[in-house]
């Protein structure tokens, strides 16, 4: 069972029993502070390249709609890397070819001057055979994609770009917590981030029911864990929280109905609902989230799941702004000496802030 957006969106396949299988083959180049700014990419033994950390050299291309891109946008904002790495945003819908810059004037990215993200991939790999996915880091001068390896981009932002981060930026991946962050994040990825897709794109009743039970086992585990701790690992926000948030904030508007993950809503789970509101109200999370674009993407693009392309009104998400009461639990958003990010840079504001429609 193939899906229409294999080329442009979440690259996917299905096993013989109808289980959704994500294509996880990405461009595995990395950004490193070991190389001097202005250096050429350095080849690695595995055939990939290391590129130098350098302010202004790269543009992060994301989409408000995409959960995998969202985690990189949150990380960039929390670390205050806006001046070092510019942000380009594709619109919420794409066709079989590519994500499109159809929200920008004239339908082209204002920095890269391309109408489709596909152009940056083909500029480097003229016969690129895989999905044109976000997030992607693109070298501005050459217009060539550098990497779309979404698992490593937030880690490199935190570690390799530290010298260009804002004063008072948090350490989102503390050395003493990395083993636990990795373990929690792995379960969140396999069972929740990817688990909702296994439900939504299941090709048989048996595959769907298996995916459904796996997902809710994990969500019940998170509900229990977060009933005793304000954040997933340690006492402060880490990458583990940044990885979970994009799925939770999309759950009631999209995954509950569109992906048939319908046992109950996040608003009906006290700990997860309070946790989601806590993060939403922290700068970097809610101010990077566009609920309307999220709905437009899933309901309009996934024509195999929603053939009419009708985008639902609701649910009313204004409850995200209500008090969460999580201050009573151990932990604070950030460690002592860490400050909140400043205002959203001009031009990066969420276009659809209304949560009631």
């Amino acid at each position: 069972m193939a899906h229409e957006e294999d080329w442009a969106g979440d690259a996917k396949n299905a096993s013989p029993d109808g289980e959704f299988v994500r294509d996880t083959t990405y461009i595995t180049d990395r950004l490193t502070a070991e190389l001097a700014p202005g250096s050429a990419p350095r080849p690695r033994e595995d055939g990939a390249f290391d590129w130098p950390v350098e302010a202004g050299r790269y543009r992060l291309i994301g989409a408000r709609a995409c959960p995998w891109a969202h985690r990189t946008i949150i990380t960039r904002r929390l670390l205050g890397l806006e001046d070092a790495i510019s942000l380009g945003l594709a619109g919420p819908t794409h066709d079989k070819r590519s994500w499109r810059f159809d929200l920008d004037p004239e339908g082209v990215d204002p920095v890269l001057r391309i109408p489709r993200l596909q152009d940056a991939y083909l500029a480097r790999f003229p016969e690129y055979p895989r999905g044109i996915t976000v997030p992607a880091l693109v070298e501005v001068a050459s217009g060539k994609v550098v990497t779309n390896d979404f698992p490593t981009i937030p880690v490199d932002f935190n570690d390799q770009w530290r010298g260009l981060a804002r004063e008072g930026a948090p350490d989102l991946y503390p050395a003493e917590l990395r083993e636990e962050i990795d373990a929690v994040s792995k379960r969140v990825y396999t069972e929740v981030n990817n688990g909702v897709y296994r439900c939504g794109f299941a090709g048989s009743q048996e595959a769907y029911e298996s995916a459904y039970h796996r997902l809710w086992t994990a969500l019940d585990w998170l509900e229990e864990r977060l009933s005793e701790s304000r954040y997933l690992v340690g006492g402060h926000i880490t990458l583990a929280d940044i990885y979970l948030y994009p799925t939770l904030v999309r759950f009631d508007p999209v995954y509950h109905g569109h992906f048939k993950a319908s046992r109950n809503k996040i608003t009906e789970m006290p700990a997860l609902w309070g946790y989601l509101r806590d993060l939403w109200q922290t700068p970097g999370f809610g101010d990077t989230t566009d609920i309307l674009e999220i709905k437009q993407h899933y309901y309009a693009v996934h024509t195999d799941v929603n053939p009419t392309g009708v985008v639902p009104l609701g649910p009313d998400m204004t409850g995200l702004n209500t008090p969460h009461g999580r201050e009573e639990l151990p932990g604070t958003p950030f460690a002592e000496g860490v400050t909140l990010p400043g205002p959203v840079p001009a031009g990066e504001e969420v276009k659809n802030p209304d949560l009631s429609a």
Side-chain angles (χ1 to χ4, degrees), residues 6-63:
D6 281 0
W7 179 253
D10 290 294
K12 59 181 75 68
N13 298 289
S15 66
D17 64 358
E19 181 183 359
F20 163 74
V21 179
R22 182 176 299 281
D23 182 350
T24 56
T25 304
Y26 299 101
I27 303 167
T28 56
D29 290 19
R30 302 285 294 264
L31 282 296
T32 176
E34 293 179 0
L35 295 175
S39 299
R42 180 180 63 190
R44 299 200 310 251
E45 291 184 358
D46 62 2
F49 289 83
D50 289 326
W51 297 66
V53 166
E54 184 176 343
R57 182 165 176 172
Y58 311 100
R59 185 163 175 82
L60 173 65
I61 302 299

Side-chain angles (χ1 to χ4, degrees), residues 287-304:
D287 58 21
T288 61
T289 307
D290 192 315
I291 299 295
L292 178 58
E293 287 195 20
I294 288 168
K295 292 192 296 184
Q296 288 172 334
H297 170 71
Y298 284 91
Y299 284 98
V301 171
H302 296 160
T303 54
D304 46 350

Side-chain angles (χ1 to χ4, degrees), residues 13-305:
N13 298 289
S15 66
D17 64 358
E19 181 183 359
F20 163 74
V21 179
R22 182 176 299 281
D23 182 350
T24 56
T25 304
Y26 299 101
I27 303 167
T28 56
D29 290 19
R30 302 285 294 264
L31 282 296
T32 176
E34 293 179 0
L35 295 175
S39 299
R42 180 180 63 190
R44 299 200 310 251
E45 291 184 358
D46 62 2
F49 289 83
D50 289 326
W51 297 66
V53 166
E54 184 176 343
R57 182 165 176 172
Y58 311 100
R59 185 163 175 82
L60 173 65
I61 302 299
R64 299 284 189 202
C66 174
W68 316 107
H70 197 176
R71 56 173 63 187
T72 65
I73 294 170
I74 293 169
T75 305
R76 169 182 173 271
R77 172 141 167 70
L78 291 178
L79 295 173
L81 291 171
E82 292 98 330
D83 291 337
I85 308 168
S86 65
L87 176 66
L89 292 169
T93 61
H94 56 67
D95 58 20
K96 192 173 182 179
R97 288 175 56 196
S98 179
W99 291 89
R100 300 172 292 194
F101 297 104
D102 48 3
L103 299 181
D104 289 311
E106 303 176 6
V108 298
D109 179 84
V111 173
L112 300 176
R113 304 304 301 170
I114 55 176
R116 295 172 177 271
L117 181 56
Q118 181 188 46
D119 297 328
Y121 280 72
L122 298 183
R124 184 174 176 197
F125 304 107
E127 304 295 330
Y128 189 71
R130 313 200 74 86
I132 307 297
T133 59
V134 290
L137 281 168
V138 178
E139 186 180 37
V140 174
S142 68
K144 296 179 179 180
V145 67
V146 171
T147 181
N148 65 344
D149 192 28
F150 79 87
T152 64
I153 292 173
V155 173
D156 287 347
F157 280 179
N158 185 80
D159 293 353
Q160 303 301 321
W161 290 79
R162 178 65 50 181
L164 294 171
R166 65 180 174 86
E167 185 177 356
D171 181 358
L172 299 168
Y173 197 35
E176 69 277 10
L177 296 176
R178 290 193 175 197
E179 184 175 351
E180 186 176 3
I181 290 172
D182 290 346
V184 170
S185 297
K186 181 178 181 180
R187 186 171 182 184
V188 166
Y189 170 74
T190 59
E191 305 303 304
V192 181
N193 300 148
N194 202 40
V196 291
Y197 284 86
R198 273 200 305 271
C199 288
F201 291 123
S204 69
Q205 186 69 31
E206 182 180 6
Y208 163 69
E209 292 185 11
S210 174
Y212 177 94
H213 291 304
R214 282 182 62 179
L215 171 65
W216 283 105
T217 296
L219 286 171
D220 287 340
W221 164 68
L222 288 167
E223 175 74 7
E224 182 177 358
R225 186 181 184 97
L226 289 166
S227 67
E228 300 176 351
S229 176
R230 187 167 178 180
Y231 302 109
L232 281 175
V233 179
H236 312 295
I237 291 170
T238 67
L239 288 179
D241 303 292
I242 294 170
Y243 297 165
L244 177 58
Y245 170 83
T247 299
L248 287 187
V249 80
R250 287 161 175 76
F251 197 94
D252 289 7
V254 174
Y255 303 143
H256 177 269
H258 183 60
F259 276 180
K260 309 178 191 71
S262 50
R263 192 190 76 179
N264 50 260
K265 296 180 178 178
I266 298 302
T267 54
E268 298 164 347
M269 304 184 77
L272 280 169
W273 177 227
Y275 170 80
L276 177 56
R277 283 177 287 163
D278 191 358
L279 292 179
W280 168 273
Q281 294 168 31
T282 301
F285 291 87
D287 58 21
T288 61
T289 307
D290 192 315
I291 299 295
L292 178 58
E293 287 195 20
I294 288 168
K295 292 192 296 184
Q296 288 172 334
H297 170 71
Y298 284 91
Y299 284 98
V301 171
H302 296 160
T303 54
D304 46 350
V305 179

